[in-house]
């Protein structure tokens, strides 16, 4: 049985009128994109599990986390799919233990993602030229979905501290 879960991450791009979403079935979670009228549908991932799809501001690229086993394991990578060329690129390797999801800067000049390596949680900003800066570190674990404010000045995310979820 295959299903699109109500609580799975998804993203909508208003200019392109496309929706990116996760379809889950036994042993897989794949990212798909579709036009709102359903005339265009495209499966983006074919192996493992993926989560947290988000469109770039111009709607030309899609970021999401991917694991060859489970999105709940500690070896998630961050993938970027170019909708124009169809090229899928791993941009952050599994060794960084990427959290579920990332978000593009509002101006399109890079993105922010979370990771947890050696018990240290980190938010990183990766610029369009692929240079990286640490935004924040801490003892919060299980960094999850994150969202950048419309002006790019703040990042909201959730995680766990002392067994309690925090935003």
């Amino acid at each position: 049985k295959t299903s699109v879960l109500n609580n799975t991450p998804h993203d909508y791009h208003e200019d392109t009128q496309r929706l990116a979403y996760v379809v889950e079935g036994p042993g897989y979670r794949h990212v798909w994109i579709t036009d709102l009228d359903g005339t265009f549908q495209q499966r983006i991932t074919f192996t493992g599990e993926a989560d947290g799809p988000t469109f770039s501001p111009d709607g030309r690229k899609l970021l999401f986390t991917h694991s060859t086993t489970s999105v709940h394991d500690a070896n998630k990578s961050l993938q970027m799919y170019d909708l124009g060329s169809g090229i899928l690129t791993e941009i952050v390797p599994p060794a960084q233990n990427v959290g579920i999801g990332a978000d593009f800067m509002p101006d399109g000049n890079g993105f922010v993602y979370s990771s947890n390596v050696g018990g240290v949680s980190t938010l990183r900003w990766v610029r369009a030229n692929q240079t990286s800066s640490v935004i924040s570190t801490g003892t919060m674990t299980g960094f999850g979905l994150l969202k950048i404010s419309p002006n790019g000045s703040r990042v909201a995310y959730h995680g766990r501290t002392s067994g309690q979820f925090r935003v």
Side-chain angles (χ1 to χ4, degrees):
K1 181 179 178 183
T2 299
S3 64
V4 178
L5 301 178
N6 291 334
N7 62 349
T8 61
H10 60 277
D11 194 25
Y12 168 68
H13 193 272
E14 191 165 348
D15 292 343
T16 62
Q17 297 286 296
R18 288 201 172 156
L19 179 70
Y21 57 97
V22 175
V23 174
E24 183 173 25
Y28 68 85
R29 289 173 63 100
H30 295 301
V31 173
W32 285 72
I33 56 174
T34 185
D35 288 337
L36 291 185
D37 64 7
T39 57
F40 171 83
Q41 294 182 351
Q42 182 179 359
R43 184 171 160 184
I44 305 300
T45 60
F46 292 88
T47 62
E49 293 195 1
D51 220 340
T54 187
F55 284 105
S56 61
D58 63 8
R60 295 180 184 169
K61 295 183 179 176
L62 191 67
L63 273 176
F64 56 89
T65 57
H66 182 265
S67 172
T68 56
T69 55
S70 167
V71 292
H72 303 293
D73 74 13
N75 294 308
K76 294 179 291 297
S77 64
L78 190 60
Q79 307 278 322
M80 187 178 299
Y81 181 76
D82 185 303
L83 278 74
S85 69
I87 295 174
L88 179 63
T89 306
E90 179 181 88
I91 53 175
V92 178
Q96 291 294 312
N97 189 18
V98 176
I100 296 175
D103 197 14
F104 283 94
M105 296 299 290
D107 63 3
N109 188 25
F111 58 89
V112 173
Y113 74 96
S114 64
S115 68
N116 188 311
V117 177
V120 176
S121 297
T122 305
L123 290 177
R124 292 188 179 274
W125 172 30
V126 178
R127 293 169 193 77
N129 66 6
Q130 297 298 308
T131 60
S132 175
S133 297
V134 173
I135 296 173
S136 173
T137 60
T139 58
M140 190 176 287
T141 62
F143 270 165
L145 299 175
L146 58 90
K147 197 70 178 163
I148 299 173
S149 66
N151 67 6
S153 66
R154 295 180 182 204
V155 178
Y157 57 92
H158 71 75
R160 209 169 27 250
T161 302
S162 302
Q164 301 292 317
F165 281 99
R166 308 255 188 246
V167 175

